[in-house]
Amino acid sequence: LKPVNVDGTAEILRLAATRTLKAVHYISSIDVLLHTDVPRPFLEDMEIMPLDVPGTGYPRSKWVADHMVRISRNRGIPASIYRPGMIIGHSETGATQTEDFLLVQIAGLLEFGVMPEADFLFDALPVDFVARAITHISLKPEVLGRNFHVWNLRPLHVKEIHAWIRSFGYQFEMVPLETAIAHLITLDPSNPMYRMLSLMGDDDVGR
């Protein structure tokens, strides 16, 4: 992910500093704060220390790019940082990307008629809401150079998600996490989850 998330950001910052100084609006991710020692709540004006680095590939690469933007801002480039949470499909049309890990996981497990027992809150935002929010903020010159966290303050329990899935006619039973993993081990290449098995650890199922 370094070529896209890190090197690509470096090129944008280089362009912003060439000849006429240009503003940068960088879309980071709330993942740069998750699974770190940064205390909650995640305040938009707090400083992120160099040691507060996430442990895995995607959030780590986003953290490095986020950090580069913060350094460039301290050196005079007017840069705003937007950190959205999980983004899902359009609120009106339902259009969504088909490679989303969570959606592919659900589709894969539905083939076996099971869902892992879990107790967590689902705090995703529709893509059109995120797009409107970032566009609205970015067009306000007076807030240029600040951080903005775009995420859902009214999350849903995963049980409500399961109820929605059942409302579309899907039938499944809730099973222990270990049982769901045992099903995944038997996947064949036709299952949507097959190509993502190498990305999964035991603690990723059901999140």
Side-chain angles (χ1 to χ4, degrees), residues 130-192:
V130 176
R132 286 198 306 270
I134 292 177
T135 301
H136 175 76
I137 296 169
S138 68
L139 294 176
K140 291 181 173 294
E142 66 271 21
V143 298
L144 184 61
R146 292 170 52 185
N147 305 321
F148 300 94
H149 294 169
V150 187
W151 61 339
N152 193 340
L153 298 179
R154 294 183 294 177
L156 299 171
H157 194 277
V158 67
K159 290 180 179 178
E160 295 189 60
I161 308 301
H162 291 154
W164 287 346
I165 296 173
R166 285 193 171 101
S167 74
F168 285 95
Y170 293 99
Q171 300 298 320
F172 57 87
E173 62 176 316
M174 304 304 300
V175 299
L177 179 61
E178 296 76 15
T179 304
I181 293 174
H183 282 299
L184 293 175
I185 293 174
T186 68
L187 289 179
D188 64 66
S190 65
N191 187 287

Side-chain angles (χ1 to χ4, degrees), residues 41-64:
F42 300 141
L43 303 179
E44 293 175 332
D45 60 350
M46 68 183 182
E47 291 295 324
I48 302 177
M49 297 295 104
L51 296 179
D52 296 323
V53 184
T56 56
Y58 173 76
R60 177 167 287 200
S61 66
K62 295 295 286 186
W63 185 96
V64 172

Side-chain angles (χ1 to χ4, degrees), residues 86-97 122 124-133 152 164 168:
M86 181 180 181
I87 302 174
I88 56 173
H90 195 283
S91 64
E92 296 180 3
T93 68
T96 187
Q97 59 161 319
F122 189 74
L125 284 171
V127 62
D128 49 311
F129 177 91
V130 176
R132 286 198 306 270
N152 193 340
W164 287 346
F168 285 95

